[in-house]
Amino acid sequence: MKGKTVGAKNGTASYTFLESNKAKYGYNLKAFDEASTMYDSLNSGSIDALMDDEAVLLYAIQQGRDFATPIPGEKSGEYGFAVKKGNNPELIEMFNNGLAALVESGEYDAIMNKYFNSEEENTEQTSTVDETTIWGLLQNNYGQLLSGLGITVGLALLSFAIAIVIGIIFGMFAVSPIKTLRVTASVFVDVVRGIPLMIVAAFIFWGIPNLIESITGQQSPINDFVAGTIALSLNSGAYIAEIVRGGIQAVPAGQMEASRSLGISYGTTMRKIILPQAGKIMLPNFINQFVITLKDTTIISAIGLVELFQAGKIIIARNYQSFRMYAILAIIYLVVITLLTRLARKLENGGK
């Protein structure tokens, strides 16, 4: 393998083993986050070999991956069942008793043979539907895909509604005659837009609960949907704030001056004269931002929310039909975004 590229999942015993032997054998090591991506890389030739859990690798071969295992497995660790220290003693006892019962009944060996037996005729199939076709994938997974689609659309709509409120508030701050409000809006936009959405979501979902636990000693988990909604709302809100600011400033400044010279207050001028005109200017950009928000829901899958993209990745992890599954996801997103965009444009044109 000297000079070749070998892949392994990051943070695993396989990666540790390969990293410790890299200098000895002279190969290059590439890290992956998940098995399906790593297996696709081997198929495409971007890596020359890989190391993974034997059960997972043999299951992938049984699912149709054209792989070979030319060397014996390397015993590099064991699997364990973990709970938070000092918690769930009843769960530990139930797990130990259940595992002992599985071993005694022989079911444990049957489960192991299911994945470690390389003979296809002895493999217990999880589904009678042929998932090597697009129709088969849809037939066997439409429920999971529809559930993910519902979460995706719901997350996008809720986040965008909150983002509009946030964006209007900070957009108004940005054009306010009060300097403190303008500075506040500028800081908010710069900070939120300057941090990648995935990091914002991870910070809200993992960082804040860990901080609270380190301070109080109490767990304060945040629901993945709530964390995703907050992250998307803040991110979209920052961009909408700029849309609002730009729309207001696009209205000729003379209209504000003329209104104020007639003795009309700043608030009334904004509400009655400036904002109605700015709204027409901003509407197309609002539609574009909604499409972007809908697409950005795929990033939220990084914190484990099972929206449409994550649902597809779970299906791929089971059957390794990445090309067909990603094609299905692309078509679904295209159809949904096209329909929602046309609906928004009808609303923009007054229902015409």
Side-chain angles (χ1 to χ4, degrees), residues 151 155 201 205 221-230 300 303-306:
I151 293 175
L155 178 63
F205 187 61
I222 298 177
N223 179 278
D224 52 8
F225 186 86
V226 173
T229 301
I230 295 172
I300 303 301
I303 63 174
L305 180 65
V306 187

Side-chain angles (χ1 to χ4, degrees), residues 45-85:
S46 61
I47 60 175
D48 301 293
L50 62 83
M51 186 176 186
D52 199 8
D53 296 341
E54 188 175 5
V56 178
L57 186 54
L58 291 178
Y59 178 72
I61 293 173
Q62 291 175 359
Q63 292 298 307
R65 290 282 182 174
D66 189 18
F67 295 163
T69 52
I71 59 175
E74 177 73 25
K75 182 173 176 57
S76 56
E78 297 179 347
Y79 287 98
F81 179 77
V83 296
K84 187 173 177 61
K85 188 176 181 179

Side-chain angles (χ1 to χ4, degrees), residues 280-326:
K280 293 182 178 180
I281 298 171
M282 293 184 288
L283 193 54
N285 291 322
F286 277 168
I287 296 172
N288 290 336
Q289 186 58 45
F290 174 71
V291 172
I292 292 171
T293 301
L294 184 60
K295 291 179 178 180
D296 282 348
T297 58
T298 59
I299 299 176
I300 303 301
S301 66
I303 63 174
L305 180 65
V306 187
E307 40 67 72
L308 180 58
F309 180 59
Q310 181 72 354
K313 289 170 64 178
I314 291 171
I315 295 169
I316 292 170
R318 190 189 72 248
N319 56 35
Y320 299 102
Q321 297 295 321
S322 54
F323 173 78
R324 294 176 178 84
M325 194 67 248
Y326 284 132

Side-chain angles (χ1 to χ4, degrees), residues 1-60:
M1 296 302 298
K2 186 175 182 179
K4 305 288 187 180
T5 301
V6 183
K9 288 181 290 187
N10 192 28
T12 63
S14 297
Y15 188 88
T16 301
F17 175 85
L18 290 172
E19 189 172 39
S20 63
N21 288 280
K22 183 169 60 173
K24 179 180 178 181
Y25 295 108
Y27 52 75
N28 301 310
L29 181 57
K30 185 173 182 179
F32 292 87
D33 290 331
E34 55 187 28
S36 59
T37 305
M38 181 170 64
Y39 294 174
D40 285 339
S41 296
L42 182 59
N43 269 350
S44 65
S46 61
I47 60 175
D48 301 293
L50 62 83
M51 186 176 186
D52 199 8
D53 296 341
E54 188 175 5
V56 178
L57 186 54
L58 291 178
Y59 178 72

Side-chain angles (χ1 to χ4, degrees), residues 177-258:
I178 302 173
K179 184 177 180 181
T180 303
L181 294 180
R182 295 199 304 272
V183 171
T184 300
S186 178
V187 170
F188 169 76
V189 171
D190 289 344
V191 169
V192 175
R193 293 203 308 179
I195 302 174
L197 176 56
M198 185 180 294
I199 294 179
V200 174
F203 178 76
I204 294 171
F205 187 61
W206 287 305
I208 292 178
N210 285 339
L211 176 64
I212 294 174
E213 185 177 4
S214 65
I215 295 174
T216 66
Q218 301 293 323
Q219 284 186 303
S220 301
I222 298 177
N223 179 278
D224 52 8
F225 186 86
V226 173
T229 301
I230 295 172
L232 277 174
S233 298
L234 290 174
N235 185 73
S236 297
Y239 286 96
I240 290 175
E242 286 296 279
I243 293 172
V244 171
R245 179 190 62 79
I248 292 173
Q249 291 180 341
V251 178
Q255 297 199 29
M256 172 66 77
E257 295 170 358

